[in-house]
Amino acid sequence: MNNQPDSSGDEWTILKTLKWTASYFESRSIESPRPSAEILLAHTLNINRIDLYLRYDQPLNRNELESFKALIKRRTAREPVAYITGVKEFWSLELVVTNDVLIPRPETECLVEASLSFLSAASFGNLKSRPMRILDLGTGSGAIVLALAKEQPMHHYFASDCSLRTIKVAKKNAKKNNIDAKVSFFAGDWLSSLNREKISFDMIVSNPPYIRSGDIAGLEPEIYRHEPRLSIDGKEDGLGSLKQIICSAHLYLKQYGRLFLEIGHDQKNDVSRIAEKCGKYENIIFSKDYSGYNRVAQLSKK
């Protein structure tokens, strides 16, 4: 690379370094080149992004330049920014993320919004008058259950994942955001570890893997190289986990209970067919994401 940031020669100020890095990322087709450069440089300097422009003429010292160059190399190798910095914001929560967990997506906030609408509604019998029991299946970083617990702290929250390492990350995020007293975490493969004779919930929510196995290699390198395949692989038809959850969740839902699922943009008809074949749900409603795709399925137990 010519004229790259180095620790000798011309002085590399914050602004000059930002401009060069954004241009370099753009030349290599890195998504959001300027924001990526800002986040990584702020992370290197341990300051907020706004401070980059308040201190734009501040030169970087030798160690800072070397550290930043290492991050540039990781990003051009298509490692996601969130894994490089170790954090990702979701629903105004700062979450720790590692390559053991899926990076929270903006569209998943639509799942949170739909779930909150149910929790805050006053028209579902006497549910409003008592704390409800909510289960997040495949919690990952804990993004969904922590967002719900933050907004509706009066309820009882439970969250599961099949990976103990993932549960560890979710617990860390609960503690980091002072929500650890509100959520009980446990390990389990979807609902298989629960005793349906003793345990039931008012709401079950999940963002399960729903990408077809054959489509994964065609995704962005940031996803297929770095994110946990277990969190995105929905088997051959993309419906493996969705089928499993839909066909068993009703056994753990109370009367008037709801199941909320994030789904693929083209899976509305398939999910409707699965739910209808199961025969245990009614009033199946789909909500669109910010791009206009059907992204959230809401199923009411009969």
Side-chain angles (χ1 to χ4, degrees):
M1 297 183 294
N2 294 325
N3 300 319
Q4 62 177 305
D6 57 36
S7 53
S8 62
D10 294 338
E11 189 174 72
W12 284 87
T13 63
I14 285 177
L15 185 59
K16 180 179 178 180
T17 304
L18 273 180
K19 288 180 176 179
W20 182 93
T21 307
S23 177
Y24 181 68
F25 281 164
E26 186 173 10
S27 71
R28 278 150 181 78
S29 301
I30 300 297
E31 185 179 4
S32 304
R34 183 72 176 214
S36 294
E38 293 174 351
I39 293 170
L40 294 178
L41 186 54
H43 177 72
T44 299
L45 301 177
N46 195 28
I47 61 177
N48 295 320
R49 284 173 69 182
I50 187 63
D51 292 328
L52 295 173
Y53 294 96
L54 297 176
R55 297 156 57 174
Y56 67 93
D57 58 349
Q58 174 183 313
L60 276 66
N61 63 39
R62 181 187 184 92
N63 290 336
E64 291 167 342
L65 280 169
E66 291 301 319
S67 296
F68 186 54
K69 284 166 64 177
L71 301 192
I72 292 174
K73 290 179 181 179
R74 291 174 66 180
R75 185 66 190 104
T76 52
R78 305 303 288 267
E79 184 176 354
V81 169
Y83 287 154
I84 296 174
T85 62
V87 294
K88 178 69 175 180
E89 184 175 303
F90 179 87
W91 204 266
S92 298
L93 299 169
E94 185 176 78
L95 302 176
V96 172
V97 291
T98 71
N99 56 12
D100 292 313
V101 302
L102 192 71
I103 298 171
R105 299 318 201 257
E107 55 264 30
T108 301
E109 293 196 350
C110 299
L111 178 62
V112 173
E113 289 172 355
S115 301
L116 286 173
S117 293
F118 170 69
L119 292 178
S120 60
S123 58
F124 293 96
N126 65 347
L127 290 179
K128 184 79 174 186
S129 64
R130 61 173 174 80
M132 288 187 271
R133 291 168 58 87
I134 295 96
L135 171 62
D136 176 21
L137 288 174
T139 193
S141 65
I144 296 169
V145 72
L146 297 181
L148 296 177
K150 175 190 175 184
E151 298 294 336
Q152 295 280 343
M154 71 289 297
H155 301 302
H156 302 304
Y157 294 92
F158 304 83
S160 72
D161 203 283
C162 64
S163 167
L164 290 174
R165 293 175 65 174
T166 298
I167 289 291
K168 186 177 180 179
V169 174
K171 284 184 175 181
K172 182 182 294 186
N173 282 324
K175 186 173 184 178
K176 178 182 177 69
N177 290 281
N178 299 314
I179 311 175
D180 47 318
K182 296 292 182 181
V183 186
S184 298
F185 295 94
F186 64 95
D189 184 11
W190 300 129
L191 291 152
S192 62
S193 63
L194 299 176
N195 185 337
R196 70 189 191 198
E197 302 299 328
K198 297 181 179 181
I199 299 175
S200 60
F201 301 93
D202 297 286
M203 183 177 83
I204 296 175
V205 59
S206 182
N207 175 19
Y210 52 72
I211 298 174
R212 298 174 184 84
S213 300
D215 292 342
I216 292 176
L219 299 175
E220 296 85 352
E222 285 85 347
I223 298 175
Y224 76 78
R225 289 183 191 169
H226 297 281
E227 300 211 50
R229 189 180 180 101
L230 189 64
S231 299
I232 60 175
D233 192 341
K235 307 305 178 187
E236 184 177 358
D237 59 0
L239 302 169
S241 296
L242 286 166
K243 287 178 184 175
Q244 189 172 348
I245 295 171
I246 292 172
C247 294
S248 58
H250 64 91
L251 298 171
Y252 302 86
L253 283 170
K254 297 179 181 180
Q255 186 178 15
Y256 307 116
R258 297 292 178 92
L259 172 63
F260 288 84
L261 298 167
E262 181 172 325
I263 64 173
H265 68 90
D266 58 352
Q267 292 177 329
K268 175 183 177 182
N269 293 338
D270 290 321
V271 169
S272 293
R273 174 178 51 80
I274 293 168
E276 290 169 3
K277 185 176 181 180
C278 175
K280 301 296 182 179
Y281 302 96
E282 60 186 2
N283 300 326
I284 303 171
I285 300 171
F286 293 89
S287 304
K288 296 184 183 296
D289 62 17
Y290 308 127
S291 298
Y293 294 113
N294 289 297
R295 185 63 62 183
V296 179
Q298 177 184 164
L299 295 77
S300 303
K301 180 178 177 178
K302 283 185 176 179

